[in-house]
Amino acid sequence: MSSSTSGSSGLQMSTSSTVLSLAEKQKYIEDYDFPYCDESSKYEKVAKIGQGTFGEVFKAREKKSNKKFVAMKKVLMDNEKEGFPITALREIRILQLLKHENVVNLIEICRTKATANNRYRSTFYLVFDFCEHDLAGLLSNINVKFSLGEIKKVMQQLLNGLYYIHSNKILHRDMKAANVLITKNGVLKLADFGLARAFSITKNGQANRYTNRVVTLWYRPPELLLGDRNYGPPVDMWGAGCIMAEMWTRSPIMQGATEQQQLIFISQLCGSFTPDVWPGVESLELYQKMELPMGHKRKVRDRLRPYVKDSHGVDLLDKLLILDPKERTDADSALNHDFFWTDPMPCDLSKMLSQHTQSMFEYLTPPRRACQMRQYQQQMVNTMQPRPQDNSYQDRVY
Ligand SMILES: Nc1ncnc2c1ncn2[C@@H]1O[C@H](COP(=O)(O)OP(=O)(O)OP(=O)(O)O)[C@@H](O)[C@H]1O
Ligand SMILES: [Mg+2]
């Protein structure tokens, strides 16, 4: 066999007479110019803005322009032996497919140079257009006040984003205020597709068997809590309902500590889970296994009216927080709801946001103390009284 390999790669590694020494291999890796995957050194990190389950997120400046800001999400290499994590690949594939005004824009994937210092293992980053705030950060700041028209604008953009992703057969599966970004110009972007997946309408009556342990507990819909694995877009609509209520209550409306407690909070607000209001609920896997309080009346309207006041707003919330996923309103119908087509009409957020020059992110807001949380949670569930206003929320400078 000839010592030179065929083909045009120019890489001659495995033939007997031209085996590269370790040093040569390392030099080869160091010098290799990866196409489509620039070095992360083209950006300069400015601040850490997020610490998710799956890694850190940084604000960074593009060195070339010196003005353009990006968000860099580090890919957590949890099991290096298995190569590039499949979860990150899925997130990238989905983000590459989704291009919409109300979905965060993935610019590129970057890598650190492989050197002896990192044992020739690059770190990879997902690079996004930078958004100045996330909704959890904005809602934690008592100085940020949304008018009714502004709340409508937030919800309209959020539903537009959901309409778009659901039309493209993608489920987000992690709707929560921290995953909703807002630019300083008031444009909302759905973010964090780390748990997203494609869905299909079941063919020839065969049920899907998607993983059930998705969505942050406080935003998790009743069908997931009851073990459903054949779910669809309504799981995101429930989250949209929780976020919409939070626009007025300023804190998540049902903060269960366990799945069992979350189910109890849901039935206290939305009424007991019975086959009357939700035909088929009795055949969900966990229906018999969980403690499901009976005899609770639905109180969504009564509990939320003192906060929301606007009758169309209360009506839309009532339709988003429907127990039966088949009955829950979808993004298209929600966008056609009178809430968005009556005075005050949805109005631009940029003027209000221009009063807040510092970025607000969930990560940068002080953690709520446990006792405060418990107190507030009790209030939310029992009386839905406004949270006591203290000074624990401040603008953060970085
Ligand atoms: N493009 C962006 N612009 C500004 N901030 C961002 C951007 N992307 C993410 N962030 C911030 O970083 C946080 C974490 O990002 P993301 O939700 O994508 O990561 P994650 O690791 O999946 O987080 P988690 O597991 O907590 O949901 C977001 O809540 C947001 O505050
Ligand atoms: Mg997130």
Side-chain angles (χ1 to χ4, degrees):
M1 199 167 108
S2 139
S3 65
S4 69
T5 51
S6 58
S8 58
S9 74
L11 174 58
Q12 301 173 0
M13 289 229 276
S14 58
T15 49
S16 52
S17 60
T18 55
V19 171
L20 296 183
S21 68
L22 184 62
E24 283 170 324
K25 264 190 209 161
Q26 290 174 342
K27 181 156 181 9
Y28 174 81
I29 295 171
E30 264 184 47
D31 293 347
Y32 191 77
D33 200 11
F34 287 88
Y36 311 116
C37 193
D38 282 353
E39 268 183 47
S40 56
S41 57
K42 71 195 259 194
Y43 300 107
E44 177 190 14
K45 285 179 189 164
V46 180
K48 182 164 159 177
I49 52 172
Q51 171 70 70
T53 332
F54 304 106
E56 298 162 303
V57 182
F58 299 91
K59 177 180 181 178
R61 180 190 286 108
E62 188 187 43
K63 287 180 185 163
K64 194 173 71 189
S65 71
N66 205 33
K67 276 209 285 288
K68 187 179 162 53
F69 287 98
V70 297
M72 300 176 74
K73 183 171 170 175
K74 197 170 178 174
V75 174
L76 190 73
M77 295 290 206
D78 40 5
N79 198 343
E80 287 176 15
K81 284 199 195 85
E82 287 174 18
F84 199 82
I86 183 78
T87 48
L89 275 179
R90 190 193 245 183
E91 181 173 1
I92 293 166
R93 288 300 297 146
I94 289 174
L95 284 162
Q96 282 173 334
L97 168 85
L98 300 174
K99 293 293 162 204
H100 187 269
E101 167 95 342
N102 299 124
V103 174
V104 71
N105 180 44
L106 177 69
I107 303 170
E108 62 178 338
I109 314 297
C110 271
R111 61 176 167 102
T112 57
K113 208 172 168 55
T115 62
N117 287 341
N118 54 33
R119 291 166 30 248
Y120 297 95
R121 290 181 200 282
S122 295
T123 302
F124 291 88
Y125 293 92
L126 276 59
V127 183
F128 297 96
D129 282 333
F130 181 72
C131 302
E132 281 70 16
H133 313 286
D134 71 36
L135 191 54
L138 288 170
L139 290 174
S140 318
N141 188 320
I142 53 169
N143 300 317
V144 177
K145 298 191 169 68
F146 290 94
S147 68
L148 182 56
E150 287 160 354
I151 291 181
K152 290 186 183 186
K153 188 73 178 181
V154 168
M155 285 311 298
Q156 191 176 47
Q157 296 185 81
L158 185 142
L159 291 165
N160 258 325
L162 282 180
Y163 176 74
Y164 170 77
I165 70 164
H166 292 163
S167 307
N168 280 282
K169 298 274 174 283
I170 298 293
L171 302 176
H172 185 281
R173 304 200 299 181
D174 198 12
M175 290 296 291
K176 59 176 176 179
N179 288 341
V180 173
L181 307 177
I182 301 194
T183 69
K184 65 173 188 295
N185 299 323
V187 182
L188 177 147
K189 314 269 180 188
L190 297 180
D192 195 355
F193 286 75
L195 280 179
R197 67 158 293 148
F199 69 94
S200 58
I201 307 299
T202 45
K203 289 165 227 119
N204 46 43
Q206 252 194 342
N208 293 309
R209 287 185 64 74
Y210 303 146
T211 175
N212 176 260
R213 291 189 65 84
V214 285
V215 188
T216 305
L217 186 58
W218 297 345
Y219 299 82
R220 201 178 296 166
E223 65 271 29
L224 288 180
L225 290 163
L226 290 178
D228 193 3
R229 297 185 63 181
N230 186 28
Y231 53 82
V235 299
D236 292 336
M237 301 311 296
W238 179 270
C242 296
I243 294 171
M244 179 169 168
E246 213 173 314
M247 293 301 299
W248 286 277
T249 63
R250 307 294 293 231
S251 194
I253 58 167
M254 290 175 281
Q255 307 184 4
T258 60
E259 295 174 9
Q260 176 61 69
Q261 195 182 35
Q262 192 68 24
L263 278 167
I264 292 175
F265 287 168
I266 293 176
S267 43
Q268 284 170 346
L269 180 66
C270 303
S272 293
F273 298 27
T274 63
D276 270 359
V277 297
W278 182 354
V281 66
E282 67 285 3
S283 44
L284 289 175
E285 212 172 305
L286 300 178
Y287 186 74
Q288 306 295 344
K289 293 195 187 121
M290 303 300 265
E291 178 201 329
L292 297 174
M294 286 299 145
H296 281 297
K297 282 217 306 271
R298 187 170 171 82
K299 301 184 194 82
V300 175
R301 287 173 177 271
D302 291 348
R303 287 261 171 90
L304 291 174
R305 199 176 290 117
Y307 291 86
V308 180
K309 298 187 179 81
D310 178 79
S311 61
H312 295 301
V314 174
D315 188 71
L316 177 54
L317 272 164
D318 199 29
K319 294 188 158 79
L320 288 166
L321 295 175
I322 290 179
L323 292 176
D324 182 351
K326 296 184 292 300
E327 296 296 320
R328 204 172 297 148
T329 201
D330 63 12
D332 189 27
S333 323
L335 284 165
N336 284 318
H337 193 280
D338 284 347
F339 181 59
F340 299 110
W341 304 99
T342 46
D343 279 335
M345 289 295 280
C347 76
D348 191 46
L349 297 161
S350 56
K351 193 155 157 266
M352 182 274 282
L353 290 172
S354 68
Q355 296 161 23
H356 304 279
T357 47
Q358 287 139 8
S359 274
M360 282 165 258
F361 295 110
E362 183 184 54
Y363 175 69
L364 299 171
T365 60
R368 282 174 287 221
R369 273 172 284 134
C371 64
Q372 241 182 20
M373 286 277 279
R374 240 175 283 126
Q375 241 178 28
Y376 184 60
Q377 184 175 302
Q378 207 55 38
Q379 281 178 346
M380 286 304 299
V381 173
N382 296 336
T383 59
M384 293 262 182
Q385 290 298 307
R387 88 180 290 135
Q389 300 210 332
D390 56 27
N391 293 324
S392 60
Y393 299 96
Q394 301 150 3
D395 285 352
R396 282 297 174 105
V397 192
Y398 60 85

